[in-house]
Amino acid sequence: MEPQPSPPTPECYTPPKVASDFDRLLAFAAKTAELTPAARAEQCKALVKQNKDAPNLTNRLQLLVGRVLSETCGDITKILDDIGSLPPAALPDEAMKQFVATQTATLKQLQGYSKKLGNLERKQRTVHPAEAKEKSDVGTPKTDETRLLREKLEAIRSMEKQLDESGGDAK
């Protein structure tokens, strides 16, 4: 018995689009961004646990995205190490690679801000209140900065005036 040929498809037929891994990750990012901070924290806690119990590419990528949106999605250094250890072939297409690259760069920037903030907080804790009062009275950096800005503004105004005057003569 010969196999039956499949019926011809009408020209207006469009096969249903199957969501790619990238589409699903992007949808996850959008849905996570819409959550309240409390709901996002709950989701992140579940993701961290799930990744600990059964680490896989999807979990790692969701943690990467989630950590950009919430501090409860784990340690930035660990997430960056996990993503950095992926073989190049692990990411299925160019769009996914580009998305992961931007999310990774964002996390690195957040990590830098966190370190700066931590250093600033440590410095503030080491300064005693009496010393802080003395420092605020002595230096007055705000007035110096204001004075410098005023001088620069006056210089710019002066240059504008000269340009206006020389432009009027050329006409």
Side-chain angles (χ1 to χ4, degrees):
M1 182 174 206
E2 288 184 37
Q4 294 288 329
S6 58
T9 13
E11 289 184 35
C12 64
Y13 174 76
T14 307
K17 184 179 180 204
V18 178
S20 68
D21 290 338
F22 175 68
D23 292 333
R24 285 190 291 275
L25 184 61
L26 206 52
F28 170 81
K31 287 178 184 173
T32 301
E34 292 173 355
L35 294 175
T36 64
R40 204 177 293 145
E42 286 301 314
Q43 181 182 29
C44 281
K45 288 176 189 174
L47 276 172
V48 169
K49 183 182 180 331
Q50 187 177 356
N51 192 54
K52 187 177 179 183
D53 295 344
N56 60 45
L57 179 63
T58 301
N59 291 346
R60 288 175 175 173
L61 294 176
Q62 287 179 344
L63 280 173
L64 174 69
V65 170
R67 184 55 182 91
V68 169
L69 299 168
S70 174
E71 292 180 3
T72 57
C73 270
D75 179 56
I76 292 176
T77 304
K78 184 177 180 337
I79 292 169
L80 290 174
D81 288 346
D82 277 353
I83 295 298
S85 69
L86 293 173
L91 300 176
D93 57 30
E94 195 58 33
M96 178 76 85
K97 289 176 186 170
Q98 291 173 355
F99 183 74
V100 168
T102 59
Q103 294 294 302
T104 300
T106 302
L107 267 190
K108 286 178 182 177
Q109 192 169 14
L110 282 173
Q111 187 177 38
Y113 291 145
S114 294
K115 286 179 182 177
K116 287 178 185 177
L117 186 60
N119 290 339
L120 182 61
E121 287 173 349
R122 275 192 293 284
K123 286 179 184 177
Q124 286 178 341
R125 278 184 289 209
T126 59
V127 174
H128 298 342
E131 290 174 317
K133 172 99 173 95
E134 289 174 11
K135 285 183 182 178
S136 68
D137 292 342
V138 174
T140 60
K142 284 279 188 200
T143 51
D144 291 343
E145 186 178 332
T146 304
R147 182 182 52 79
L148 287 172
L149 288 173
R150 282 194 180 127
E151 289 173 6
K152 288 179 182 179
L153 181 60
E154 288 302 317
I156 291 170
R157 285 181 180 155
S158 173
M159 283 189 266
E160 284 179 338
K161 186 176 180 182
Q162 288 174 357
L163 286 172
D164 286 344
E165 289 172 358
S166 66
D169 293 341
K171 289 182 184 176

